[in-house]
Amino acid sequence: MFFRQVVDPDLGCASYVLGDAGEAIVVDPGIRVEALEAVLEEERATARWILETHTHADHVSGRALLDGPALLPAPGDAFRAGEVRVEALAAPGHRPEHVALVVTDTARSAEPLALLSGDSLLVGDLARPDLAVDARAGARALHATLTGFAELPDHVELWPGHTGGSLCGGANLSAKRSSTLGYERRANPLLAVADADAFTTLLIADLPARPPTVERVVARNRSARPAAPPPSRADLAAAVAAGAVLVDGRPMDAFDAAHLRGALNLPLTGRGIGTRAGFLLDPEAELAVTAATESEAFELARRLRAVGLDRIAAVAPFEAAAFGEPPAHRGPIDVAELPARLLDGVTLVDVRDEPEWRGGHVAGSLHLPLHRLRTHAAGLPRVPLAVACAAGPRAAAAASALRWIGHDAVRVAGGGVGDLERLGVPLVRGG
């Protein structure tokens, strides 16, 4: 038997390739199908089945880009690849049609080996229940799903559909890529709540923001060919002149030094770029994509396509001269300078999420989480703004987006809101 997990580095989505004797089952393929095809080639296997645990709401499926029959199993369906057997269990909660897949290596034992849990049970956490149905109804369905998992032995390995950084989980979602059912039963606090009402209240108490691209991604994944064809290199300047929004993936300092006015900076460093883009960009907007190199520009385009932002007119490396106008430049405010600048009249905009804000924020600062920026930025005062987050990339994206709509905004560099306390700026805890 072979078993391989492939994780998308930006969205934390996990795909699987497993099988035996030259036959494979691919589970929850993401848009990076090259990595899955490489596993098939290494194992000298052909995809006999391409299965999905549910209709994904956070990323576009790559099932149509792979060779092999693709389907969403019904509870009770069973599939074989050599001596490997996979059986679908009903697992609603995250979505009504959700199933989990029980894996058995029949060459070794009739006992189940692993559970591919999709977006139901995660390492350290549970999937959010609000992406397809009312949050309370989804939570109660997920409680019933977990009750059904109780029949599986403690030794069964847990391989989830998402790892740390994914928007499909909550604050406790671990970066660890696997676990066992026994360990989760002992260490995951949500599994200790037996009462369905108490469980529901706890699970929905602090749900993260619902991405505006959910419906678009679900519609893509219900279509015959969810993933749009990859974009090609084209004239950035012509695309921008025709109305495309320029998305620039260069590092923050390089963007500050020279960029096109109106460009949105989404630095390729770090994770969650596709998620941020989904909050900041109109899903129907035509895009032009650039970065420091051609390969990085195409990587950024891939991350946008993975969340359904696939109206991409041009992809090319950044060359300021290509736009026929002097590049803009806007240096940041260093976090060490920020206390003095606040006294001089600069207004601080804090783009961190609600739990981060409650953990400590500057009195008098304006709270505008990144996920609300596109819909609420018009209400900000027309005064000089310093934009801060915890470390920098969100501030870079937000500051560029605010300048795009006409605000005088710069990012805070060299640190974030948490660093201000050691610089003598008291932080307020709570709401």
Side-chain angles (χ1 to χ4, degrees):
M1 175 187 180
F2 58 86
F3 183 100
R4 299 280 287 277
Q5 180 193 59
V6 177
V7 177
D8 183 293
D10 190 46
L11 298 174
C13 308
S15 304
Y16 296 90
V17 184
L18 59 152
D20 175 55
E23 296 182 338
I25 298 171
V26 179
V27 178
D28 288 336
I31 204 169
R32 296 174 182 271
V33 295
E34 311 93 274
L36 304 174
E37 291 170 334
V39 173
L40 291 170
E41 185 175 351
E42 289 171 16
E43 299 293 345
R44 299 178 181 178
T46 300
R48 184 170 181 186
W49 302 102
I50 300 167
L51 308 180
E52 294 190 299
T53 55
H54 62 294
T55 303
H56 300 282
D58 67 318
H59 70 279
V60 175
S61 170
R63 69 176 186 273
L65 304 177
L66 291 167
D67 291 329
L71 71 157
L72 176 62
D77 287 351
F79 309 87
R80 293 194 76 99
E83 295 297 322
V84 174
R85 184 176 187 273
V86 170
E87 182 177 356
L89 297 181
H94 182 66
R95 291 192 64 84
E97 77 280 5
H98 198 294
V99 297
L101 301 173
V102 178
V103 179
T104 304
D105 181 2
T106 61
R108 298 185 62 198
S109 172
E111 287 284 313
L113 170 66
L115 179 71
L116 303 185
S117 60
D119 293 346
S120 55
L121 176 58
L122 307 175
V123 179
D125 211 334
L126 299 175
R128 59 189 298 173
D130 64 322
L131 295 186
V133 295
D134 170 76
R136 295 193 69 85
R140 293 190 72 87
L142 190 56
H143 183 268
T145 289
L146 298 174
T147 301
F149 288 170
E151 298 178 6
L152 294 170
D154 280 354
H155 73 261
V156 171
E157 298 171 4
L158 172 68
W159 294 91
H162 284 93
T163 64
S166 165
L167 59 82
C168 283
N172 295 321
L173 181 56
S174 174
K176 193 173 184 300
R177 295 185 174 188
S178 67
S179 183
T180 65
L181 293 185
Y183 186 80
E184 292 303 307
R185 285 164 180 157
R186 289 162 176 76
N188 188 328
L190 290 164
L191 298 189
V193 184
D195 179 75
D197 290 332
F199 172 90
T200 297
T201 299
L202 183 62
L203 187 61
I204 69 173
D206 204 10
L207 291 171
R210 192 174 189 272
T213 53
V214 164
E215 283 76 16
R216 183 182 183 87
V217 171
V218 168
R220 287 279 193 279
N221 287 336
R222 284 176 172 161
S223 67
R225 291 193 62 84
S232 59
R233 178 166 179 164
D235 187 334
L236 284 178
V240 171
V245 177
L246 184 64
V247 184
D248 192 329
R250 290 177 299 144
M252 295 176 279
D253 291 341
F255 181 88
D256 289 341
H259 58 269
L260 183 70
R261 289 175 178 83
L264 178 67
N265 187 208
L266 287 173
L268 269 170
T269 53
R271 299 174 60 181
I273 293 167
T275 301
R276 291 174 196 157
F279 285 122
L280 292 172
L281 291 165
D282 181 343
E284 298 300 329
E286 191 160 88
L287 308 176
V289 179
T290 191
T293 66
E294 184 167 289
S295 63
E296 289 177 351
F298 276 98
E299 172 60 22
L300 178 56
R302 186 206 300 263
R303 296 189 189 194
L304 298 176
R305 292 174 60 236
V307 295
L309 299 173
D310 50 21
R311 296 192 61 193
I312 300 175
V315 182
F318 182 81
E319 298 174 13
F323 297 99
E325 63 178 77
H329 58 88
R330 191 66 184 273
I333 296 175
D334 190 271
V335 69
E337 303 171 20
L338 186 58
R341 299 293 292 274
L342 294 177
L343 292 175
D344 287 341
V346 170
T347 297
L348 180 63
V349 179
D350 187 333
V351 296
R352 298 174 303 155
D353 292 337
E354 284 83 356
E356 296 172 286
W357 166 269
R358 292 195 296 270
H361 59 272
V362 176
S365 61
L366 304 178
H367 187 214
L368 184 62
L370 195 70
H371 63 262
R372 292 211 306 261
L373 190 143
R374 188 163 69 89
T375 55
H376 290 72
L380 291 176
R382 295 288 174 169
V383 297
L385 303 174
V387 184
C389 60
R394 284 179 292 178
S400 63
L402 289 172
R403 290 199 299 273
W404 175 23
I405 61 174
H407 285 281
D408 179 9
V410 297
R411 69 180 177 93
V412 174
V417 175
D419 297 291
L420 291 172
E421 202 159 35
R422 64 175 174 78
L423 296 170
V425 179
L427 299 183
V428 179
R429 265 74 186 185

